[in-house]
Amino acid sequence: MTETDTGATVRKKSTDGWTARLELEYGVRQERTALIRNRHLGPLMVQRPLYPEGEVCHTCILHPPGGVVGGDRLEIDVFAGTGTASLLTTPGATKFYRSGGRTAVQNQHLTVHDNALLEWLPQDNILFPGAEALIKTRIDLAPTARFMGWEILCLGLPVNRQRLSSGSLQTELSLYRSSSPLFMERLRVQGSKDLDRCAGLRGFPVTATFIATDGNRDLLSALRDLAPGENDALYGVTMTDEILVARYLGHSTFAARGLFTKIWSILRPEIAGREACAPRIWAT
C-alpha cells in the first residue's frame, strides 16, 4: 500500500514566502517499483505514478504556484529502496523570479539504496533578472546503487535578451558513495562580471551538467561525437573512475535538454539494461 500524508498548504507571513516539503520513498511491490510513501507539506506534490515501461516507476513532481520568489524554500527528499527503478521529472521549468533582496532556496536530497537505479531528469531552472537563488542537490549512493541525472540552469532570459545583470546564484551538486565524495561542483554567479569571465561562463546564459555512475569508457567516443545543436556552444564529456560527466555551455535550454536526452538514450541500455523511454509529460 502507498502511504500518503497530505500536509496542509498554509501561507506563512507574506514576508516569509512559501515553505514546501516533499518526501517520496520507493519500494518493490509485486515485482515492480511502487511509490510507498508520499508526504508533502505546502505546494509540492506528485501526480499519480505511471508505468509506461513495466516495472519502472515514472513520477512527475509538481509545484503548483509555478514560480519561486525571494523567501520561498522548497525541500525534496527522495528515498529509492533496495532493488527499485524510479524516474523522476518535472512538467516544466522551475522559474526563480525577481526576489527583492531575499534568497529563494531549493534543496534536494536523493538517497539510493543497493541494487537500485534512480534517474533524476528535471526540466531546467530559469533565473529571472534580479533573482537571488540557492540550489543544492546531494545524491547519496549505497555501494551497488546506480544513478543518472542532470541539472540545467538558465541565467536570465536569453530569448528576450535579458541577462542576469542583477541578482545572484549559488549552486551545489554533489554525489557520494558510502559517504565518500565522487563528484562535487559549485557555481557562484554575482551579476554580469561572473557571466563574462573566461574562466567562468564566457558570456553564455545556459550551463548544464549530466552525471552517471557505472560509465562505460567504450561509449566516450560516441558521446563526444554528439552535436550540441549550436555552432558556438561548448560541450565535453569526461570520465573519472566510475563517474561519467557531460557538460554543456550555450544559449538554449532546449538544446541542452535535447543533447542530454541523447546521452541518456545511449547510456541507459548500458546502465539500466533497458531502452530509453521518455516521460509522457515531455510530449505535452
Side-chain angles (χ1 to χ4, degrees), residues 8 14 43 47 67 92 135 146 162 190 196 229-230 233 237 247 252 259:
S14 60
Q47 291 181 322
I135 303 172
R146 293 162 294 157
Q162 297 183 32
Q190 183 73 49
D196 296 329
E230 298 172 290
V237 184
R247 302 179 189 275
S252 170
L259 175 64

mmCIF file of all heavy atoms in Angstrom, residues 8 14 43 47 67 92 135 146 162 190 196 229-230 233 237 247 252 259:
data_model
loop_
_atom_site.group_PDB
_atom_site.id
_atom_site.type_symbol
_atom_site.label_atom_id
_atom_site.label_comp_id
_atom_site.label_asym_id
_atom_site.label_seq_id
_atom_site.Cartn_x
_atom_site.Cartn_y
_atom_site.Cartn_z
ATOM 1 N N ALA A 8 -1.141 20.287 5.236
ATOM 2 C CA ALA A 8 -1.913 21.488 4.926
ATOM 3 C C ALA A 8 -1.063 22.474 4.151
ATOM 4 O O ALA A 8 0.090 22.718 4.474
ATOM 5 C CB ALA A 8 -2.401 22.133 6.221
ATOM 6 N N SER A 14 3.407 37.034 4.709
ATOM 7 C CA SER A 14 3.732 37.426 3.348
ATOM 8 C C SER A 14 5.215 37.725 3.174
ATOM 9 O O SER A 14 5.759 37.608 2.088
ATOM 10 C CB SER A 14 2.902 38.657 2.951
ATOM 11 O OG SER A 14 3.172 39.748 3.814
ATOM 12 N N PRO A 43 3.051 23.640 -1.231
ATOM 13 C CA PRO A 43 2.842 23.451 -2.674
ATOM 14 C C PRO A 43 3.948 22.666 -3.380
ATOM 15 O O PRO A 43 4.604 23.156 -4.282
ATOM 16 C CB PRO A 43 2.770 24.896 -3.183
ATOM 17 C CG PRO A 43 3.663 25.648 -2.257
ATOM 18 C CD PRO A 43 3.475 25.016 -0.910
ATOM 19 N N GLN A 47 2.105 13.773 -9.193
ATOM 20 C CA GLN A 47 0.974 13.170 -9.877
ATOM 21 C C GLN A 47 0.981 11.670 -9.618
ATOM 22 O O GLN A 47 1.911 11.121 -9.032
ATOM 23 C CB GLN A 47 1.076 13.435 -11.379
ATOM 24 C CG GLN A 47 0.871 14.880 -11.783
ATOM 25 C CD GLN A 47 0.957 15.047 -13.290
ATOM 26 O OE1 GLN A 47 1.760 14.398 -13.934
ATOM 27 N NE2 GLN A 47 0.134 15.927 -13.839
ATOM 28 N N GLY A 67 6.202 29.273 -9.834
ATOM 29 C CA GLY A 67 7.416 30.067 -9.740
ATOM 30 C C GLY A 67 7.872 30.175 -8.301
ATOM 31 O O GLY A 67 7.127 29.873 -7.366
ATOM 32 N N GLY A 92 7.619 21.159 -16.249
ATOM 33 C CA GLY A 92 8.133 22.345 -16.924
ATOM 34 C C GLY A 92 9.277 22.939 -16.137
ATOM 35 O O GLY A 92 9.716 22.399 -15.114
ATOM 36 N N ILE A 135 20.556 26.775 -4.882
ATOM 37 C CA ILE A 135 20.071 25.474 -5.343
ATOM 38 C C ILE A 135 21.089 24.418 -4.964
ATOM 39 O O ILE A 135 22.243 24.467 -5.403
ATOM 40 C CB ILE A 135 19.838 25.475 -6.867
ATOM 41 C CG1 ILE A 135 18.853 26.579 -7.268
ATOM 42 C CG2 ILE A 135 19.336 24.120 -7.337
ATOM 43 C CD1 ILE A 135 18.724 26.768 -8.775
ATOM 44 N N ARG A 146 22.921 2.793 -8.453
ATOM 45 C CA ARG A 146 23.240 3.442 -9.727
ATOM 46 C C ARG A 146 22.424 4.732 -9.856
ATOM 47 O O ARG A 146 21.320 4.837 -9.321
ATOM 48 C CB ARG A 146 22.924 2.511 -10.895
ATOM 49 C CG ARG A 146 23.804 1.265 -10.989
ATOM 50 C CD ARG A 146 23.180 0.209 -11.858
ATOM 51 N NE ARG A 146 21.957 -0.311 -11.267
ATOM 52 C CZ ARG A 146 20.978 -0.900 -11.953
ATOM 53 N NH1 ARG A 146 21.054 -1.009 -13.272
ATOM 54 N NH2 ARG A 146 19.914 -1.359 -11.337
ATOM 55 N N GLN A 162 17.527 39.399 -22.022
ATOM 56 C CA GLN A 162 17.659 39.910 -20.654
ATOM 57 C C GLN A 162 18.655 39.040 -19.901
ATOM 58 O O GLN A 162 18.436 37.838 -19.733
ATOM 59 C CB GLN A 162 16.312 39.908 -19.931
ATOM 60 C CG GLN A 162 15.273 40.823 -20.550
ATOM 61 C CD GLN A 162 13.983 40.830 -19.750
ATOM 62 O OE1 GLN A 162 13.976 40.680 -18.529
ATOM 63 N NE2 GLN A 162 12.864 41.002 -20.447
ATOM 64 N N GLN A 190 27.498 36.296 -9.467
ATOM 65 C CA GLN A 190 27.048 37.554 -8.882
ATOM 66 C C GLN A 190 27.088 38.616 -9.971
ATOM 67 O O GLN A 190 28.101 39.266 -10.212
ATOM 68 C CB GLN A 190 27.949 37.965 -7.709
ATOM 69 C CG GLN A 190 27.511 39.237 -6.975
ATOM 70 C CD GLN A 190 26.272 39.013 -6.116
ATOM 71 O OE1 GLN A 190 26.215 38.060 -5.350
ATOM 72 N NE2 GLN A 190 25.300 39.892 -6.244
ATOM 73 N N ASP A 196 30.693 36.789 -17.620
ATOM 74 C CA ASP A 196 31.587 37.061 -18.738
ATOM 75 C C ASP A 196 33.004 36.561 -18.554
ATOM 76 O O ASP A 196 33.800 36.614 -19.490
ATOM 77 C CB ASP A 196 31.619 38.570 -19.015
ATOM 78 C CG ASP A 196 30.271 39.093 -19.468
ATOM 79 O OD1 ASP A 196 29.537 38.327 -20.110
ATOM 80 O OD2 ASP A 196 29.943 40.257 -19.165
ATOM 81 N N GLY A 229 23.964 21.217 -31.100
ATOM 82 C CA GLY A 229 22.852 21.906 -31.737
ATOM 83 C C GLY A 229 23.056 23.381 -31.952
ATOM 84 O O GLY A 229 22.184 24.058 -32.490
ATOM 85 N N GLU A 230 24.198 23.915 -31.538
ATOM 86 C CA GLU A 230 24.526 25.332 -31.735
ATOM 87 C C GLU A 230 25.973 25.418 -32.172
ATOM 88 O O GLU A 230 26.844 24.731 -31.623
ATOM 89 C CB GLU A 230 24.343 26.124 -30.446
ATOM 90 C CG GLU A 230 22.923 26.148 -29.913
ATOM 91 C CD GLU A 230 22.885 26.796 -28.532
ATOM 92 O OE1 GLU A 230 23.394 26.181 -27.584
ATOM 93 O OE2 GLU A 230 22.371 27.913 -28.435
ATOM 94 N N ALA A 233 28.246 26.702 -29.187
ATOM 95 C CA ALA A 233 28.102 26.091 -27.869
ATOM 96 C C ALA A 233 29.317 25.231 -27.543
ATOM 97 O O ALA A 233 29.985 24.694 -28.434
ATOM 98 C CB ALA A 233 26.829 25.255 -27.807
ATOM 99 N N VAL A 237 32.719 15.681 -22.679
ATOM 100 C CA VAL A 237 32.415 14.501 -21.874
ATOM 101 C C VAL A 237 33.715 13.982 -21.276
ATOM 102 O O VAL A 237 34.714 13.830 -21.984
ATOM 103 C CB VAL A 237 31.759 13.380 -22.708
ATOM 104 C CG1 VAL A 237 31.366 12.211 -21.811
ATOM 105 C CG2 VAL A 237 30.548 13.900 -23.458
ATOM 106 N N ARG A 247 29.136 18.087 -19.982
ATOM 107 C CA ARG A 247 28.855 19.492 -19.689
ATOM 108 C C ARG A 247 28.480 20.230 -20.968
ATOM 109 O O ARG A 247 29.045 19.969 -22.043
ATOM 110 C CB ARG A 247 30.066 20.179 -19.053
ATOM 111 C CG ARG A 247 30.539 19.533 -17.758
ATOM 112 C CD ARG A 247 31.756 20.259 -17.220
ATOM 113 N NE ARG A 247 32.368 19.555 -16.114
ATOM 114 C CZ ARG A 247 31.979 19.662 -14.859
ATOM 115 N NH1 ARG A 247 30.960 20.450 -14.554
ATOM 116 N NH2 ARG A 247 32.604 18.990 -13.905
ATOM 117 N N SER A 252 20.830 27.844 -25.189
ATOM 118 C CA SER A 252 19.484 27.294 -25.271
ATOM 119 C C SER A 252 19.272 26.146 -24.295
ATOM 120 O O SER A 252 20.013 25.150 -24.316
ATOM 121 C CB SER A 252 19.209 26.801 -26.704
ATOM 122 O OG SER A 252 18.020 26.055 -26.768
ATOM 123 N N LEU A 259 20.382 17.532 -26.100
ATOM 124 C CA LEU A 259 21.684 16.875 -26.067
ATOM 125 C C LEU A 259 21.744 15.844 -24.947
ATOM 126 O O LEU A 259 22.182 14.694 -25.146
ATOM 127 C CB LEU A 259 22.773 17.928 -25.880
ATOM 128 C CG LEU A 259 24.202 17.426 -25.715
ATOM 129 C CD1 LEU A 259 24.676 16.716 -26.977
ATOM 130 C CD2 LEU A 259 25.131 18.589 -25.365
#
